[in-house]
Amino acid sequence: MISIKSQSPNLTSVPPTYTITKTPNDEAVTLDHIDPEVKIPIIDFSLLTSSNPDQRSKTIAELGRACEDWGFFMVINHCVPERLMSAVIDGCRGFFDLSEEEKLEFEGKHVLDPIRYGTSFNTSVEKVFYWRDFLKVIVNPHFQFPNKPSEFSEIAFEYCKKTREVVMGILEGISENLGLEANYIYKTLNLDSGVQVFAANLYPPCPQPELAMGLPPHSDHGLLTLLIQNGIGGLQIQHEGKWVNVNPNIPNALLVNTADHLEILSNRKYKSVVHRAIVNKIDTRISLAIANGPAFDAVVSPASKLVENHSPAYTGMKYRDYMELQQSSRLTGKLILDRLRL
Ligand SMILES: O=C(O)CCC(=O)C(=O)O
Ligand SMILES: [Fe+2]
């Protein structure tokens, strides 16, 4: 593989292998410019886990609306320390700054290899490549990690542990919102052994950003993805048929999006949100997505209580098989999820 980081400094135009074709609704909007009243929801984690039942149930209701109306929200007042958030982003930058030779030690062979450094999404099936390098590590149920740069592994371990706490708190609220026991998702999907993937993305500056794409429109495979970034915008989410820019400057917020397995489990009450990453001319953008899914061996289908009076919208599939299929296919919209529709 040839990383885009190593190629981009010498490029004054986008090579044909990276040139995308645009569709007419591709322009994105910035919410404040259309309606200052419409805002990406913000969930206060300290209220969600509050011992005050009124505060907690009010926040759980807000969480439910955020999942139903947006599939995307920002979490504030969570338990992940600010210094850990910036340290892990620094660690990602340090990793991508290693020499190509050093990074290639971590080039995986198979899509489910625990440590995988690569470029684009899956170059073996793509005709057009994305302007992005990545490091993907399966960090739970077993933690393994690149041994360089120094301390990256320890910091990533801490960060992943803390983000799991946030995810569990959110999933309890979501379970209750769906009318299930608070620990329903945890128990049914065996989240003690839940698959957590550390996915670091690097998008180098691009000479013609309108001709290339960082990541194409897609949904994520797990239940919930938590994302942080280095202060540079580029993430866009699809909301009511429009592409909406996500403001990168909400300090200390964790960006959360609903993923395919929450759509399956909730029997389509909550849809996985389609999102993409665009690139820019000036700055290197780094984002870190932590994908949190069921255990590898869990067969996920809609929660039994939700199909008592409704027909199931999805057939069940083992999470390992789903992940393997998603990672070895081209990344486009909700292609894999649609295959399970009944
Ligand atoms: O870089 C971003 O903002 C999006 C990353 C993403 O969607 C992913 O890693 O699945
Ligand atoms: Fe994603």
Side-chain angles (χ1 to χ4, degrees):
M1 67 159 273
I2 307 174
S3 72
I4 190 65
K5 182 174 189 289
S6 64
Q7 295 178 67
S8 60
N10 306 317
L11 295 172
T12 50
S13 62
V14 171
T17 42
Y18 285 85
T19 304
I20 52 151
T21 40
K22 288 210 151 197
T23 51
N25 70 346
D26 263 357
E27 286 309 306
V29 297
T30 298
L31 282 181
D32 286 358
H33 298 175
I34 34 173
D35 181 351
E37 296 300 310
V38 181
K39 292 228 162 34
I40 291 177
I42 297 181
I43 301 297
D44 186 327
F45 191 73
S46 67
L47 301 181
L48 185 65
T49 49
S50 161
S51 52
N52 175 330
D54 289 344
Q55 272 182 343
R56 181 168 148 75
S57 54
K58 188 166 159 271
T59 314
I60 287 184
E62 285 168 13
L63 175 63
R65 277 196 300 277
C67 290
E68 218 166 320
D69 299 348
W70 287 82
F72 189 86
F73 48 94
M74 314 204 187
V75 175
I76 57 165
N77 296 329
H78 48 71
C79 56
V80 188
E82 193 181 335
R83 54 151 188 91
L84 193 54
M85 292 166 71
S86 50
V88 76
I89 289 288
D90 289 346
C92 295
R93 182 181 298 106
F95 177 84
F96 289 114
D97 280 344
L98 297 173
S99 70
E100 280 311 311
E101 197 185 350
E102 285 174 297
K103 285 184 282 190
L104 285 172
E105 269 180 57
F106 305 107
E107 187 183 21
K109 298 281 171 284
H110 180 263
V111 291
L112 290 188
D113 282 349
I115 302 183
R116 205 150 60 90
Y117 163 64
T119 194
S120 192
F121 177 74
N122 185 339
T123 51
S124 65
V125 292
E126 287 158 349
K127 293 195 197 77
V128 175
F129 295 162
Y130 303 113
W131 204 268
R132 166 234 197 194
D133 295 335
F134 66 84
L135 169 67
K136 283 190 195 175
V137 188
I138 299 176
V139 289
N140 202 63
H142 304 294
F143 184 83
Q144 52 251 291
F145 210 78
N147 56 0
K148 40 182 113 157
S150 69
E151 290 175 40
F152 187 26
S153 167
E154 289 80 0
I155 291 163
F157 180 82
E158 256 330 280
Y159 183 73
C160 292
K161 199 168 89 185
K162 284 283 178 198
T163 52
R164 277 204 299 281
E165 287 174 30
V166 178
V167 169
M168 296 315 158
I170 298 173
L171 287 177
E172 280 190 11
I174 287 179
S175 293
E176 287 191 40
N177 248 315
L178 291 170
L180 309 167
E181 299 273 317
N183 64 356
Y184 179 89
I185 297 181
Y186 192 90
K187 268 194 348 214
T188 317
L189 305 185
N190 188 17
L191 295 193
D192 258 345
S193 306
V195 177
Q196 194 180 31
V197 184
F198 179 104
N201 303 302
L202 179 109
Y203 308 95
C206 174
Q208 295 166 297
E210 62 294 344
L211 297 184
M213 188 56 109
L215 271 179
H218 70 280
S219 58
D220 295 342
H221 50 73
L223 291 158
L224 291 176
T225 303
L226 261 56
L227 186 127
I228 58 173
Q229 50 195 338
N230 66 337
I232 308 296
L235 175 61
Q236 297 179 336
I237 56 167
Q238 206 164 59
H239 178 66
E240 297 180 349
K242 292 196 181 73
W243 285 109
V244 174
N245 287 310
V246 176
N247 175 358
N249 294 317
I250 312 271
N252 305 324
L254 297 166
L255 308 178
V256 181
N257 68 267
T258 55
D260 294 347
H261 278 75
L262 199 59
E263 177 162 338
I264 297 173
L265 183 106
S266 71
N267 204 34
R268 299 202 87 220
K269 181 157 191 218
Y270 302 151
K271 314 278 191 326
S272 58
V273 71
V274 174
H275 55 286
R276 67 182 184 185
I278 59 160
V279 292
N280 76 83
K281 217 169 179 156
I282 298 159
D283 296 303
T284 293
R285 174 164 184 261
I286 295 172
S287 69
L288 172 59
I290 306 289
N292 301 273
F296 271 130
D297 288 325
V299 177
V300 189
S301 17
S304 44
K305 202 169 165 189
L306 303 181
V307 291
E308 279 169 4
N309 301 314
H310 295 92
S311 35
Y314 291 104
T315 179
M317 186 175 199
K318 201 180 262 192
Y319 187 55
R320 178 188 281 106
D321 298 338
Y322 191 96
M323 224 177 117
E324 184 167 7
L325 192 61
Q326 198 257 11
Q327 294 285 307
S328 38
S329 310
R330 281 172 49 213
L331 193 62
T332 46
K334 297 173 79 157
L335 194 72
I336 309 298
L337 185 61
D338 286 344
R339 286 210 211 168
L340 304 192
R341 274 295 279 283
L342 290 172

